[in-house]
Amino acid sequence: GAISSDLAAVTNTRLQGKINELSQEHHRLGNEVSALGGRFGLLAGSIIGAIPGFMVYKAAEFQKSLSELSAITGATGAQLDFMSAQALHLASTTTHSATDVLTAYKLIASAKPDLLDNAAALTQVTEKILILSDAAGMSLPDAATALGGAMNQFGAQANEAGRFINVMAAGAKYGSSEINQTAEALKVVGTVAANMKISFEETNAAIQAMATVSLKGSEAGTGFRSVLFHLAAQSRDDWNPEVVGLTKALENLKAAHLTSTEKMKLFGLEAVTAASALLSQADSMGQLKAQVTDTNVALEQAAAQNNNLIGDVSRLTSKIDAFGITLGNTTTGPLRGFIGALSNATDHWRIWM
């Protein structure tokens, strides 16, 4: 009986010790949770406190960019309000911020000044620049230069911007010349090709055909332009792109099986390399032209490029940015009034002192 009593006492002591340990651990965990809650509360408070400043900053940045757009385009009043609303709309539906959209407006306004009097047309082309930028991974300035330059050379209207970006994107997809390289070639040959009634699609097919044999960029453009000049100057209609079209002219020329000496005589030293490149790809020209015609490749590539976590984050960031600007715009008026009054008061104090 004595042994049982002692064993019970020892067991009870150990159990009470364990209970005390658990109680202390519970108390410690409680303190840590409380401290974590406090830190989270401070963080949340800091974030919430920073939101008004963030909104005001974003709105101020947006309005500055809007003022620059007004200075460049001459847009004021309803036109400027329209572009402002469109920038916020595009920011909420793409991966680009509202300020980026205004930058795209400014870039295309410089590249295509004929659109300055038409805010809707300017918006139409600007939207396509954003798509081309996403599709090709290009900067906005490069996308604006590529699209604006090509449209100018071929006398395209704003409603053709979608066709142009799809042709360039499809060319890069199915050929060997990237969009920026194609743009460099077009700078040199685009106007000549357009004047000879060669379509934008066929011009791109020829640039891609030349890229297959490593003639790219301005080198391809210079060579292609020389080939066109020589073909237009010779006497056979079936070799003249202005008469039978570029693809047919190349097919006819290839079928003639010219010797190297005859090619040199026809094209001259400066153009014979480009001519040989085009003739070597004459059989594929029709297929290349078909591949770049009537597609949605730019839209498809832009969607594919952004179908990932980075794209999701970019879209969310743009939405938050647009939301912040919208709310911030309601405070900038009173703030400007307050700052103006403070500035005037400072002038008065300075004079008085």
Side-chain angles (χ1 to χ4, degrees), residues 95-96 129-143 169 172 178-180 298 301-306:
T95 60
H96 297 274
I129 287 176
L130 301 177
I131 295 171
L132 183 61
S133 172
D134 282 350
M138 303 172 71
S139 68
L140 287 175
D142 286 345
E178 297 298 328
I179 291 175
N180 60 334
Q301 287 183 338
Q305 290 273 24
N306 292 318

Side-chain angles (χ1 to χ4, degrees), residues 108-348:
I108 202 60
S110 297
K112 282 191 66 62
D114 56 300
L115 299 178
L116 290 179
D117 294 331
N118 190 334
L122 189 62
T123 299
Q124 197 171 20
V125 179
T126 297
E127 185 176 2
K128 299 304 183 290
I129 287 176
L130 301 177
I131 295 171
L132 183 61
S133 172
D134 282 350
M138 303 172 71
S139 68
L140 287 175
D142 286 345
T145 298
L147 178 58
M151 291 181 70
N152 285 338
Q153 288 173 316
F154 285 83
Q157 301 300 309
N159 60 5
E160 297 180 86
R163 168 194 159 209
F164 272 62
I165 64 170
N166 282 314
V167 169
M168 288 190 283
K173 177 180 180 179
Y174 296 112
S176 302
S177 175
E178 297 298 328
I179 291 175
N180 60 334
Q181 294 172 323
T182 299
E184 286 298 313
L186 286 169
K187 283 181 185 179
V188 183
V189 73
T191 302
V192 174
N195 288 339
M196 294 180 70
K197 309 303 180 187
I198 300 172
S199 71
F200 186 62
E201 288 78 0
E202 197 164 30
T203 301
N204 271 264
I207 291 170
Q208 293 299 338
M210 297 177 74
T212 304
V213 291
S214 298
L215 281 176
K216 301 179 181 181
S218 58
E219 182 184 8
T222 300
F224 187 14
R225 182 181 62 185
S226 296
V227 169
L228 292 178
F229 282 148
H230 282 87
L231 289 178
Q234 56 81 45
S235 59
R236 290 186 55 163
D237 285 348
D238 61 334
W239 292 356
N240 191 336
E242 287 188 280
V243 178
V244 297
L246 177 62
T247 300
K248 188 63 177 176
L250 292 174
E251 290 173 350
N252 292 339
L253 194 56
K254 184 175 182 178
H257 301 292
L258 299 181
T259 66
S260 297
T261 302
E262 288 171 328
K263 289 179 187 176
M264 185 71 73
K265 183 178 179 181
L266 176 60
F267 294 107
L269 182 62
E270 78 284 357
V272 71
T273 301
S276 298
L278 284 168
L279 290 174
S280 72
Q281 301 298 314
D283 295 337
S284 65
M285 278 285 294
Q287 180 184 1
L288 281 168
K289 181 182 175 183
Q291 287 175 323
V292 302
T293 302
D294 295 331
T295 77
N296 286 310
V297 171
L299 291 169
E300 293 164 0
Q301 287 183 338
Q305 290 273 24
N306 292 318
N307 186 24
N308 48 60
L309 180 59
I310 295 298
D312 293 341
V313 171
S314 295
R315 278 187 292 271
L316 176 60
T317 302
S318 295
K319 288 178 184 291
I320 293 173
D321 185 75
F323 179 70
I325 289 169
T326 301
L327 292 181
N329 280 340
T330 63
T331 66
T332 54
L335 274 175
R336 289 188 67 188
F338 171 74
I339 291 171
L342 186 60
S343 178
N344 290 334
T346 302
D347 288 339
H348 288 307

Side-chain angles (χ1 to χ4, degrees), residues 97-112:
S97 72
T99 303
D100 284 343
V101 177
L102 291 183
T103 298
Y105 266 121
K106 290 182 282 187
L107 290 167
I108 202 60
S110 297
K112 282 191 66 62

